[in-house]
Amino acid sequence: MGYFYAIMWFAVGLILIFSLSKENKVFYGAGAFFLLMGAWWLADAFLPEQDLFSGGWGIALRCIAGAALIVLTVFFVREYRKNRDAAKAKEKKTEEKNKSSDRP
């Protein structure tokens, strides 16, 4: 099962990097995080005598995952607000254009 998870994480990371990074550069970081997760699962599958999800290694993984999630959340919120503000500005501009074209 560990190999399946590793393949899944690698696939998600590669999709984010090669397909979605054209939309926004933050997907490079997200893809790199998922590639790291794939490598972690693969290393855990190859080294069953070392439990990489507990002890010091588990704490390191949780810290890396937490940091990645915080950084990605901040970028997502910034992008969301920027897009929302741009949509409001476009809507306001359209309303003003419609009002000015209604006048004789």
Side-chain angles (χ1 to χ4, degrees):
M1 196 67 169
Y3 297 112
F4 174 76
Y5 283 123
I7 292 169
M8 181 190 64
W9 290 124
F10 282 129
V12 170
L14 293 173
I15 289 169
L16 286 173
I17 289 173
F18 291 110
S19 295
L20 295 177
S21 62
K22 295 170 188 157
E23 292 181 26
N24 196 333
K25 300 300 179 197
V26 73
F27 289 114
Y28 284 120
F33 170 69
F34 283 108
L35 290 176
L36 174 73
M37 290 295 294
W40 202 280
W41 276 92
L42 191 62
D44 187 59
F46 282 141
L47 302 169
E49 65 275 356
Q50 282 189 320
D51 189 11
L52 296 180
F53 292 102
S54 65
W57 288 108
I59 292 171
L61 177 65
R62 288 180 191 100
C63 291
I64 291 169
L69 291 174
I70 289 170
V71 169
L72 292 173
T73 301
V74 167
F75 280 114
F76 174 77
V77 169
R78 284 184 184 172
E79 190 71 23
Y80 174 78
R81 288 180 181 167
K82 184 173 73 172
N83 290 341
R84 183 187 62 191
D85 293 343
K88 284 182 182 180
K90 185 178 180 182
E91 183 179 314
K92 186 176 180 181
K93 191 175 184 181
T94 304
E95 287 177 6
E96 290 174 359
K97 184 178 178 184
N98 289 340
K99 286 181 182 179
S100 66
S101 65
D102 290 343
R103 295 182 186 165

